[in-house]
Amino acid sequence: RAVESQSEGQCAPVESLWRRYSEFELLRNYLSVTYPHIVVPPLPEKRADFVWHKLSADNMDPDFVERRRIGLENFLLRVASHPVLCQDKIFYSFLTQEGGWKEMVNETGFQLKADSRLKALNATFRVKNPDKRFTELKHYSDELQSVISHLLRVRARVADRLYGVYKVHGNYGRVFSEWSAIEKEMGDGLQSAGHHMDVYAASIDDILEEEEHYAEQLKEYLFYAEALRAVCRKHELMQYDLEMAAQDLTSKKQQCEELATGTVRTFSLKGMTSKLFGQETPEQREAKIKVLEEQIQEGEEQLKSKNLEGRDFVKSAWADIERFKEQKNHDLKEALISYAVMQISMCKKGIQVWTNAKECFSKM
């Protein structure tokens, strides 16, 4: 909920709101279309992926639902901390309005601005002069996604093995406890060693739950890679539209020059038609030249506008990408250090368990 004070006459925001996952998707789609130059924070996964085999992949599993709820809360915090997105009125109404929120989003007409996938794909293959920086950024986002995907798969395999190791300690505990029952002099030592093993084995669930927290942080940047590519695709579309406008303007200027001089530089159906059925009258030619001159003037203004729009987009997008990189470096560094500290702590606990067991055996 929004915490800032309300103006006089405004209703106070409700204490709590129910929002479905689809409403979060609608909000993110709106932000992506309205702010094409911004790396919009991603939503958490709708269905579990990269999970170790003992963890449920069911999207209705209470543990998964809770992790997704935390992820959605993190998404809201990311948007709220962004210098531009936090000021959006639709985002504010998402946090404060019980009803009518969807209607307000649809009234913005953002879906009409959304570029189709086919047009985006077309632009990717037909842009003649792509911006090198955005091309490199797209390659970087692909590599980032690949590396994090591999890291998450490795972590899932390690979690499986770790689970097995801890459960083996549970077997040690059971065997030592059973053994202590038939030994008089060694019984107490075996019983104590078995107790240490049981406590160690039982701690695996809390450990893997903490591990899952770090995995979710990595997954966020797995999905951020797609947000980066989305900015690159929008730039490609703008570049494609700019190149098409420049090409159309060049074509019209050539037509105008051909009509003015009476020469045809390139083969065209019109040229063949005029040769077969006779030349146009001077009046017809003058009228066509006038129309073309108006179209050329309009095209030049449009090209100038598209050039300015493109430069503004690049400037704004690159500023936001730099902000994202700084955030990414900080977050991933913190998550990886915390993960390393957790692994070190786990290993120390393992050493301590066997040290305690050694002392138990020594006292027998």
Side-chain angles (χ1 to χ4, degrees):
R1 65 187 174 115
V3 293
E4 65 183 47
S5 59
Q6 298 291 299
S7 303
E8 284 186 23
Q10 272 190 305
C11 296
V14 292
E15 284 297 318
S16 61
L17 291 169
W18 285 101
R19 295 290 186 217
R20 298 180 63 84
Y21 187 90
S22 58
E23 291 181 87
F24 280 88
E25 286 182 312
L26 180 62
L27 173 64
R28 191 182 182 280
N29 289 339
Y30 160 78
L31 293 174
S32 296
V33 172
T34 309
Y35 304 94
H37 59 281
I38 286 175
V39 184
V40 179
L43 294 172
E45 58 192 345
K46 195 168 187 176
R47 288 174 176 79
D49 201 0
F50 302 107
V51 295
W52 60 287
H53 79 281
K54 289 286 183 183
L55 203 67
S56 174
D58 180 11
N59 66 326
M60 298 306 291
D61 178 72
D63 290 335
F64 171 71
V65 171
E66 175 58 16
R67 288 200 306 277
R68 191 172 66 179
R69 186 200 64 76
I70 292 169
L72 290 171
E73 184 178 349
N74 185 58
F75 163 75
L76 291 178
L77 291 172
R78 292 282 194 202
V79 175
S81 63
H82 192 283
V84 176
L85 299 180
C86 70
Q87 299 177 43
D88 187 86
K89 291 180 180 178
I90 296 293
F91 173 58
Y92 183 79
S93 67
F94 179 88
L95 298 175
T96 56
Q97 288 194 13
E98 183 73 54
W101 177 79
K102 283 186 181 179
E103 291 75 10
M104 186 181 291
V105 178
N106 293 326
E107 282 172 9
T108 63
F110 81 96
Q111 288 174 328
L112 297 174
K113 301 176 190 175
D115 299 302
S116 69
R117 285 184 175 273
L118 184 63
K119 188 178 177 185
L121 188 67
N122 188 38
T124 301
F125 287 106
R126 296 186 64 182
V127 169
K128 294 177 182 176
N129 300 304
D131 190 311
K132 188 179 177 183
R133 292 179 301 174
F134 283 93
T135 304
E136 288 174 353
L137 182 66
K138 192 161 67 168
H139 291 323
Y140 167 76
S141 64
D142 290 340
E143 289 172 2
L144 179 67
Q145 191 170 42
S146 174
V147 167
I148 293 181
S149 297
H150 185 64
L151 182 61
L152 287 166
R153 281 194 291 270
V154 170
R155 190 209 71 87
R157 290 201 299 270
V158 170
D160 282 335
R161 292 180 185 179
L162 193 65
Y163 186 82
V165 168
Y166 273 71
K167 290 309 172 187
V168 166
H169 283 78
N171 291 337
Y172 272 124
R174 180 177 55 81
V175 170
F176 287 150
S177 295
E178 289 175 358
W179 193 2
S180 69
I182 60 171
E183 296 285 354
K184 291 182 180 179
E185 294 180 4
M186 296 166 57
D188 291 342
L190 289 169
Q191 184 71 36
S192 297
H195 172 72
H196 289 303
M197 297 295 172
D198 287 336
V199 170
Y200 185 63
S203 66
I204 185 60
D205 294 326
D206 291 337
I207 288 168
L208 290 179
E209 188 178 329
E210 188 180 350
E211 266 210 9
E212 211 56 43
H213 169 70
Y214 298 120
E216 293 298 320
Q217 288 179 306
L218 290 174
K219 282 181 185 178
E220 183 186 17
Y221 281 93
L222 179 74
F223 305 138
Y224 254 125
E226 177 55 34
L228 275 177
R229 282 199 295 273
V231 174
C232 294
R233 283 197 298 269
K234 287 163 190 168
H235 178 262
E236 283 172 347
L237 279 171
M238 292 188 76
Q239 184 66 21
Y240 177 70
D241 286 342
L242 179 65
E243 289 178 3
M244 289 298 100
Q247 188 177 317
D248 185 55
L249 182 61
T250 303
S251 174
K252 283 185 168 59
K253 283 181 177 178
Q254 186 176 325
Q255 288 177 40
C256 190
E257 188 182 339
E258 287 172 358
L259 283 169
T261 59
T263 58
V264 180
R265 293 182 184 178
T266 55
F267 172 81
S268 68
L269 188 61
K270 281 187 178 180
M272 288 298 294
T273 305
S274 62
K275 284 182 180 180
L276 289 170
F277 301 106
Q279 296 288 334
E280 295 171 322
T281 63
E283 289 79 11
Q284 288 175 321
R285 196 159 58 244
E286 283 296 322
K288 283 190 174 181
I289 289 171
K290 188 177 180 182
V291 170
L292 279 169
E293 283 176 344
E294 288 175 0
Q295 289 176 346
I296 287 167
Q297 186 178 353
E298 190 179 313
E300 284 176 341
E301 288 174 2
Q302 191 178 18
L303 188 64
K304 186 180 178 182
S305 173
K306 284 184 180 293
N307 266 312
L308 285 171
E309 188 183 353
R311 282 198 290 270
D312 288 343
F313 179 91
V314 171
K315 184 180 177 182
S316 301
W318 214 251
D320 196 66
I321 287 163
E322 290 299 323
R323 180 203 60 79
F324 163 76
K325 284 180 178 178
E326 190 176 331
Q327 170 196 302
K328 175 203 60 138
N329 293 344
H330 174 268
D331 290 349
L332 290 181
K333 177 183 174 183
E334 197 173 73
L336 291 170
I337 288 173
S338 298
Y339 183 69
V341 168
M342 189 196 77
Q343 296 291 341
I344 291 166
S345 174
M346 281 165 41
C347 293
K348 284 181 177 178
K349 284 179 183 176
I351 293 170
Q352 189 61 49
V353 163
W354 283 101
T355 302
N356 293 340
K358 181 185 173 184
E359 289 175 0
C360 293
F361 298 150
S362 301
K363 291 174 182 176
M364 289 192 302

